[in-house]
Amino acid sequence: MSLLRQTFSGLLLAALTGPLLAAPAQLGPRPFFLVDDMAPSLLRQELRACARQTQQYTRRDLAIGHRGAPLQFPEHTRESYLAAARSGAGILECDVAFTKDKELVCRHAQNDLHTTTNILATPLAAKCTTPFEPATFDATGKLLTPARAECRTSDITLAEFRTLRGKMDASNPAARTVAEYLGGTPSFRTDLYAGPSSGTLMTHAESIALFKRLGVKMTPELKYPVVAMPFDGFTQEAYAQKLIDEYRAAGVPPSDVFPQSFHQPDVLHWIQHNPAYGQQAVFLDDANTVADLPTREQLKAYKRAGIHIWAPPTFALLTTNAQGRIVPSQAAKDARAAGLKLITWTLERSGVLADGNNGFYFQTIDSAITREGDVMNVIDVLAREVGVIGIFSDWPATVSFYANCKGLP
């Protein structure tokens, strides 16, 4: 083989097996639209000046791809992960569930296949815990019972799971047919990237291999099962351990992994039995209101137990002051005082803002959200005043742009 051909072959092999997307992040127009939509402020001036610069934007760890980039791409699919990395996410999330044969796969819940995949339109629908049941109506057309179904990863084998395609997470409660039920995508999202040739589902191990090639860090969430545990002899502890074992088998250093769970015993298992990986274990908080948040003493107890990172929903870390400005909440101050690092979830998931009712994630600061651009103020307070180390987002470019402009990791 000539030297020229040897050189070309080497370059081709590197392109096929080396890190993907080594190019700078491609942020697209959304971050710049949000900056232009901000009310006049010093922050707006700074971000607009940054936007005018001809700099290269790079991926940032502050931007965590929540399920990938599900604002536009079907969650937990290869296409969604690629979009998240391209748009600047430095960390990507695989939510982990298990199949009937106890293999780990990327799904937000063990029982969401009926809303996030095409399973109901395939022969595998017969294996669902609850096959499709159409909505019923009275003689006037009033909805009596909504359409329903429940399909679990544990209903099918890994081989069967691989035959499915991902779709945007949605369902139509008024559906009379499977085709109608599989619709219902919110208007602020899109089905443009959810065609039959996309929506590639992934195992946990496949996500690890992809993330390594992308050169990003990883934050797997162990989803609590809806089936009784042990499942066919598979204990909760074995489930938690298998997640870590797949990172070990892939040679991923603990510094690149942030394992997370809402179930505290999972986090403590990692800390006690896998201390290298447990150092970055994330205890997720499922509080629905401020009243549900842990007390100062409980936060201190987390730290004493070896938990270093607490991850509550965004509303938990923010409030407004007497002037109506967004500021750190008492819970945020208490967590920092306890020595905890903070991650929060989730931006770009509330649809159109400034409608006076922005829902769960902004419940403590809704009065301060008056336009789309105010999301940049939210990011600024989270990063600069609360001091979070990561922000989950359904469209990571928004956070990545801010982090690039502020010189944050």
Side-chain angles (χ1 to χ4, degrees):
M1 182 183 294
S2 70
L3 179 60
L4 180 60
R5 289 185 64 190
Q6 287 178 337
T7 302
F8 176 77
S9 297
L11 290 173
L12 179 60
L13 180 64
L16 293 175
T17 63
L20 296 172
L21 306 182
Q26 304 164 20
L27 301 184
R30 180 159 178 77
F32 307 99
F33 160 77
L34 293 171
V35 171
D36 287 342
D37 191 63
M38 293 175 69
S41 67
L42 179 59
L43 177 63
R44 181 175 187 258
Q45 293 177 28
E46 293 173 352
L47 295 180
R48 291 193 79 179
C50 174
R52 288 193 293 267
Q53 296 174 6
T54 57
Q55 66 183 67
Q56 280 191 345
Y57 298 104
T58 58
R59 293 193 293 264
R60 301 294 169 126
D61 289 354
L62 185 68
I64 304 175
H66 180 242
R67 315 184 199 182
L71 183 64
Q72 294 195 35
F73 290 80
E75 64 185 47
H76 294 307
T77 62
R78 186 177 190 274
E79 293 80 5
S80 189
Y81 291 141
L82 290 172
R86 288 189 173 110
S87 65
I91 304 174
L92 295 181
E93 178 190 44
C94 167
D95 289 328
V96 178
F98 58 83
T99 60
K100 186 176 183 178
D101 45 353
K102 299 182 279 292
E103 296 296 332
L104 304 186
V105 295
C106 297
R107 285 293 91 198
H108 178 64
Q110 189 182 41
N111 60 337
D112 73 359
L113 294 181
H114 52 289
T115 64
T116 65
T117 76
N118 66 337
I119 189 169
L120 291 176
T122 77
L124 291 175
K127 296 191 174 186
C128 290
T129 296
T130 304
F132 173 70
E133 298 176 4
T136 63
F137 302 82
D138 66 14
T140 68
K142 179 182 178 181
L143 180 66
L144 295 177
T145 59
R148 72 187 191 106
E150 184 184 1
C151 303
R152 302 173 177 177
T153 57
S154 54
D155 289 336
I156 59 176
T157 65
L158 177 59
E160 291 167 332
F161 176 85
R162 290 185 185 278
T163 68
L164 302 177
R165 307 300 295 184
K167 74 175 194 69
M168 296 300 281
D169 183 14
S171 61
N172 177 3
R176 291 181 170 90
T177 67
V178 165
E180 291 177 350
Y181 185 80
L182 294 176
T185 300
S187 60
F188 66 89
R189 293 182 178 152
T190 179
D191 288 314
L192 190 61
Y193 305 108
S197 63
S198 60
T200 308
L201 302 190
M202 304 197 74
T203 68
H204 178 234
E206 288 168 345
S207 78
I208 294 171
L210 176 62
F211 296 171
K212 284 181 68 176
R213 292 184 66 197
L214 292 173
V216 298
K217 296 177 182 177
M218 313 170 196
T219 184
E221 181 190 337
L222 196 75
K223 305 304 295 190
Y224 197 75
V226 297
V227 296
M229 299 293 278
F231 174 79
D232 190 26
F234 193 44
T235 66
Q236 185 69 25
E237 293 75 18
Y239 177 33
Q241 187 59 47
K242 186 167 185 173
L243 180 146
I244 297 298
D245 289 346
E246 293 197 347
Y247 288 94
R248 283 206 176 102
V252 180
S255 59
D256 285 351
V257 184
F258 295 81
Q260 41 170 346
S261 178
F262 285 101
H263 185 51
Q264 191 174 15
D266 294 338
V267 179
L268 296 179
H269 173 88
W270 295 325
I271 291 169
Q272 293 163 10
H273 298 282
N274 307 272
Y277 289 91
Q279 284 293 310
Q280 293 191 150
V282 180
F283 183 30
L284 295 161
D285 196 300
D286 60 359
N288 286 312
T289 67
V290 171
D292 299 327
L293 293 171
T295 64
R296 180 181 305 178
E297 291 307 312
Q298 287 173 314
L299 291 167
K300 291 179 180 178
Y302 295 167
K303 184 67 175 179
R304 289 195 298 270
I307 296 171
H308 299 304
I309 306 175
W310 179 52
T314 298
F315 78 81
L317 299 178
L318 302 174
T319 188
T320 55
N321 63 13
Q323 291 73 44
R325 193 179 78 82
I326 300 172
V327 295
S329 68
Q330 187 60 50
K333 296 174 184 177
D334 290 344
R336 293 298 301 274
L340 294 168
K341 295 179 181 179
L342 298 170
I343 290 174
T344 194
W345 48 278
T346 305
L347 292 186
E348 299 286 30
R349 196 166 180 80
S350 300
V352 176
L353 302 179
D355 61 2
N357 181 22
N358 295 305
F360 174 78
Y361 298 103
F362 296 116
Q363 61 184 276
T364 54
I365 56 170
D366 199 56
S367 61
I369 306 297
T370 62
R371 55 206 305 158
E372 303 307 306
D374 284 336
V375 72
M376 287 298 182
N377 297 327
V378 173
I379 297 170
D380 185 57
V381 176
L382 287 170
R384 185 172 52 83
E385 299 186 49
V386 175
V388 298
I389 62 171
I391 301 174
F392 280 93
S393 179
D394 279 13
W395 198 247
T398 303
V399 178
S400 183
F401 168 76
Y402 175 90
N404 271 273
C405 291
K406 292 290 187 177
L408 299 176

